[in-house]
Amino acid sequence: MMRRIDRHNYEEFFLDYLEGNLNDSEKKNLESFLALNPDLKEELDEMCLLELEEEDIIFDKSSLKQIPFETDFEDFCVAKLEGDLEQEEELAFTKYLNENLIGKAQYQLFERTKLKTDNDIIYPDKEELKRKERKIIPYWMISGVGIAASILLLFSVWNTSISDKNADQDSAKKVAYNDSVKKVVVTPTKNSNRLEKLVEIKAESQTTKQEADDIGNQEVETVIAKSQPIENKTDRIFTKQSIAESPMDTKQVASQKVSLPEVIKTAELKVLANVEVVDQKIEVSNQEKEMNELPVNSGLANLGMSWKSSVKAKRKSNSLLYAVAKIGVDKIGEIAGKKVQLDKQYDSETEKTRLNFNTKGLGFSTSIK
Amino acid sequence: MNTVEYNKSVDKYADGMFRFILKNIKDEDKARDIVQDSFEKLWRNIENVNYQKVKSYLFTTAYHTMIDLIRKEKRKEDFENVDVKEYSHSEQYSDLKEVLNIALEKLSDIQRSVILLRDYEGYSYAEIAEITDLSESQVKVYIYRARKNLKSFIGSIETLV
């Protein structure tokens, strides 16, 4: 809606006219209004004369720009030193320093805080810090050494356990062996009459020579292994048999007297020559000692049966252990692709059984008995 | 990282590390031990350390070992709490290097460490932050404070002279 101009609102139109805010139709209305009111036209002309001209005023802005430098001078010094200033800041601060001699001197002090590397200080023993090149060990070498070490460990453990057992057994054997030898030597003098009787009775009862030897051996073994109680048993046997066959020829007795020591000597030789037999006796004697501690009233045959079976069991367990070890060693040899040997050997000179282990680059022998 | 690169690292960084530690703790034997320990740690972790980052690894290790040692010995003295006039003695300083060495001793441990890493090794704020387990802004603050303290010490000495 277009505004109407009259003598009450003409000032508003005049101001809009001077500001250039009237449109064309409003300007035409204003001109027709001024034509009808010439006194107001003079007022409008006066208003046009009041327009102000722009003055050229100069303000020192640089002083304002210096405010941050003056306020945080040290920070700007450090920032310039550390290269933290923007390009424009850098230029302005440099200009500031150039215009301010005191400030420049202060900045030069900051520049002197920059530490310089002291090349006189060097680490004295760098060579000792260095390391040699690591060498790659081939797998086959590791596996070979590993297998050898495993076997060595196996035998160490095995041998230790065996030697521990044998240590006790060996000492017992030595005692038993000495005892047995003494007994065999002493027997003919001490028990000669009884043994003579035994052999005599055997001869008269038409037993074979082999049987007589066996009995003789048994007697000897009995004497070796057993002490007085067993001797008493033989006494009882002799007594019964002597009652049954009392008539005796003195010549026969004399001939048997000659043969008896031979039998004993043969037994003694067997004992001394064959370690295996001695071992058996030793085993038995140990066991019999244990058995004798108990109030056993069994016969000779029963005693013989018991120690024989025990020895077999022990030897069997040793053989089984050897067999397992041998199978293990053979398998390891197969896996490693190497020749690995494990042998058990009996040395008659030392009367000991030795285990020999051989493979490429490694071989050892150890006594197990 | 391989053995050759490890040995190169010894040649390149052992001196700098030794210098850095020695300037901090002023004990040659301990500085040597710290450098040696750092290289032993590097050797143990040689498979996990990238050769491009070995310098940072070495300085970080050495720095932390040194801090542990300092903490143990409790030799803490903060420059900020020290009156510079206290050091205004009649002794004549032969050169700026000597003055700076004395001023350096008066700095706090952390200020001394960051300023040495900055000036001796030319590390950036970020790298120093990584070595010292600080933020970049903290490193910047410590460096600024250290510079002001050093300048203050030098200025006071010059004024006296």
Side-chain angles (χ1 to χ4, degrees):
Chain A
M1 188 177 169
M2 207 173 96
R3 292 181 296 168
R4 285 184 62 82
I5 184 169
D6 52 34
R7 291 190 75 87
H8 299 287
N9 64 359
Y10 72 91
E11 287 171 320
E12 185 184 345
F13 275 85
F14 283 2
L15 284 171
D16 285 339
Y17 173 73
L18 290 172
E19 295 288 328
N21 293 333
L22 294 178
N23 57 33
D24 292 342
S25 59
E26 285 174 332
K27 280 180 184 175
K28 283 178 182 176
N29 287 338
L30 180 63
E31 286 169 6
S32 55
F33 176 75
L34 289 172
L36 292 172
N37 300 284
D39 57 320
L40 294 177
K41 189 174 183 312
E42 286 176 14
E43 192 176 330
L44 179 65
D45 291 341
E46 284 173 5
M47 284 176 76
C48 290
L49 293 172
L50 287 173
E51 190 177 341
L52 297 172
E53 287 184 7
E54 187 179 348
E55 287 185 48
D56 188 17
I57 298 169
I58 298 169
F59 182 78
D60 185 9
K61 290 179 288 233
S62 62
S63 62
L64 297 176
K65 288 179 182 173
Q66 287 177 358
I67 290 171
F69 298 149
E70 289 167 355
T71 309
D72 298 318
F73 175 74
E74 289 197 328
D75 284 335
F76 273 95
C77 285
V78 179
K80 180 175 166 62
L81 197 66
E82 299 293 336
D84 292 339
L85 293 177
E86 299 291 328
Q87 195 176 355
E88 287 181 13
E89 281 181 320
E90 171 79 25
L91 288 169
F93 189 62
T94 306
K95 189 183 171 188
Y96 170 79
L97 291 175
N98 289 335
E99 292 169 356
N100 189 329
L101 291 175
I102 297 169
K104 195 169 185 177
Q106 291 291 304
Y107 177 72
Q108 283 170 346
L109 275 179
F110 274 105
E111 281 184 320
R112 292 165 74 177
T113 65
K114 197 91 175 170
L115 304 171
K116 289 180 179 62
T117 308
D118 193 345
N119 289 319
D120 294 339
I121 300 172
I122 53 166
Y123 188 79
D125 301 311
K126 279 203 279 289
E127 288 306 313
E128 76 179 14
L129 293 175
K130 291 183 180 177
R131 306 276 178 162
K132 287 181 181 174
E133 193 82 45
R134 283 176 176 173
K135 287 180 182 172
I136 298 166
I137 301 167
Y139 174 74
W140 62 266
M141 193 181 282
I142 295 169
S143 62
V145 172
I147 289 164
S150 304
I151 292 164
L152 200 61
L153 185 67
L154 171 73
F155 277 106
S156 301
V157 172
W158 184 29
N159 197 33
T160 306
S161 62
I162 287 172
S163 62
D164 287 345
K165 285 179 186 172
N166 286 344
D168 299 334
Q169 290 178 356
D170 284 347
S171 58
K173 278 177 196 173
K174 283 174 188 170
V175 173
Y177 182 78
N178 291 334
D179 288 349
S180 66
V181 171
K182 283 177 187 172
K183 283 175 184 172
V184 168
V185 173
V186 169
T187 302
T189 56
K190 199 176 178 182
N191 301 310
S192 59
N193 291 331
R194 293 163 189 169
L195 290 168
E196 282 167 14
K197 284 177 185 175
L198 175 70
V199 175
E200 191 178 51
I201 290 158
K202 296 293 174 189
E204 284 184 6
S205 61
Q206 303 295 314
T207 54
T208 61
K209 192 178 181 181
Q210 183 62 45
E211 283 172 334
D213 287 342
D214 288 342
I215 294 165
N217 282 338
Q218 284 178 359
E219 283 294 325
V220 171
E221 286 166 9
T222 307
V223 171
I224 291 165
K226 300 195 72 173
S227 55
Q228 199 57 39
I230 296 178
E231 287 171 6
N232 292 338
K233 286 173 191 170
T234 56
D235 272 347
R236 284 200 295 274
I237 295 163
F238 297 147
T239 311
K240 285 176 184 174
Q241 291 186 344
S242 62
I243 292 166
E245 300 180 25
S246 57
M248 241 183 258
D249 192 354
T250 51
K251 285 180 184 176
Q252 280 180 330
V253 170
S255 67
Q256 291 301 326
K257 278 180 183 175
V258 173
S259 63
L260 183 61
E262 287 173 10
V263 172
I264 296 164
K265 279 177 185 173
T266 309
E268 182 184 346
L269 286 171
K270 278 180 185 175
V271 167
L272 292 171
N274 193 343
V275 174
E276 298 295 320
V277 173
V278 170
D279 286 344
Q280 287 178 13
K281 286 177 181 173
I282 289 160
E283 299 284 341
V284 172
S285 61
N286 283 337
Q287 194 168 351
E288 282 186 354
K289 279 178 186 174
E290 289 171 11
M291 290 172 74
N292 286 337
E293 289 172 5
L294 300 168
V296 179
N297 201 19
S298 59
L300 183 64
N302 287 338
L303 285 167
M305 285 295 285
S306 66
W307 60 255
K308 276 180 182 174
S309 62
S310 170
V311 169
K312 277 178 185 174
K314 286 188 178 179
R315 292 175 65 80
K316 197 175 176 182
S317 69
N318 281 349
S319 300
L320 183 64
L321 187 56
Y322 168 72
V324 169
K326 179 137 182 75
I327 290 165
V329 168
D330 290 345
K331 276 286 172 196
I332 289 167
E334 274 180 37
I335 293 163
K338 303 282 171 195
K339 191 180 177 185
V340 186
Q341 279 187 320
L342 180 68
D343 299 319
K344 191 160 80 167
Q345 194 175 15
Y346 175 72
D347 186 353
S348 60
E349 287 183 11
T350 58
E351 296 180 351
K352 286 184 175 177
T353 305
R354 298 187 72 79
L355 268 176
N356 302 317
F357 176 78
N358 278 303
T359 185
K360 191 179 179 183
L362 179 70
F364 61 85
S365 176
T366 181
S367 173
I368 59 166
K369 189 178 282 184
Chain B
M1 196 173 152
N2 55 37
T3 311
V4 175
E5 288 171 331
Y6 169 86
N7 287 334
K8 276 184 189 175
S9 305
V10 172
D11 286 332
K12 284 174 79 175
Y13 306 125
D15 287 338
M17 289 168 65
F18 181 63
R19 206 175 289 135
F20 169 62
I21 302 296
L22 185 61
K23 285 281 179 184
N24 269 293
I25 61 172
K26 292 283 173 193
D27 187 323
E28 197 171 326
D29 289 336
K30 282 172 185 168
R32 281 179 66 170
D33 288 346
I34 289 170
V35 172
Q36 202 163 351
D37 285 352
S38 303
F39 274 99
E40 277 174 14
K41 280 177 189 169
L42 172 65
W43 180 251
R44 287 199 292 273
N45 288 305
I46 193 165
E47 305 294 335
N48 307 319
V49 179
N50 188 330
Y51 181 59
Q52 304 300 322
K53 295 198 169 185
V54 71
K55 187 183 176 188
S56 175
Y57 178 89
L58 284 168
F59 273 87
T60 304
T61 309
Y63 172 76
H64 286 291
T65 311
M66 180 187 75
I67 291 294
D68 288 344
L69 182 74
I70 290 169
R71 280 179 185 154
K72 275 182 193 169
E73 295 185 354
K74 294 180 180 176
R75 52 179 295 276
K76 280 191 174 180
E77 190 179 4
D78 197 331
F79 195 101
E80 287 159 8
N81 300 325
V82 174
D83 184 1
V84 177
K85 286 176 187 170
E86 194 182 320
Y87 298 95
S88 58
H89 46 73
S90 58
E91 198 178 314
Q92 294 293 313
Y93 296 105
S94 58
D95 57 10
L96 176 66
K97 189 179 165 185
E98 195 179 344
V99 173
L100 269 179
N101 279 335
I102 293 163
L104 205 57
E105 285 178 39
K106 310 303 171 194
L107 295 179
S108 68
D109 295 327
I110 188 66
Q111 286 179 20
R112 190 187 313 112
S113 295
V114 294
I115 207 83
L116 284 169
L117 288 170
R118 182 74 170 168
D119 287 354
Y120 277 15
E121 302 302 322
Y123 275 125
S124 68
Y125 296 143
E127 287 168 325
I128 296 169
E130 192 183 327
I131 290 168
T132 55
D133 269 350
L134 297 168
S135 68
E136 279 189 52
S137 57
Q138 281 176 309
V139 169
K140 192 174 175 181
V141 167
Y142 283 128
I143 285 175
Y144 275 49
R145 284 181 189 170
R147 291 262 183 247
K148 288 176 192 175
N149 287 329
L150 291 173
K151 179 252 173 188
S152 177
F153 187 81
I154 295 167
S156 66
I157 295 297
E158 288 201 340
T159 306
L160 285 167
V161 171

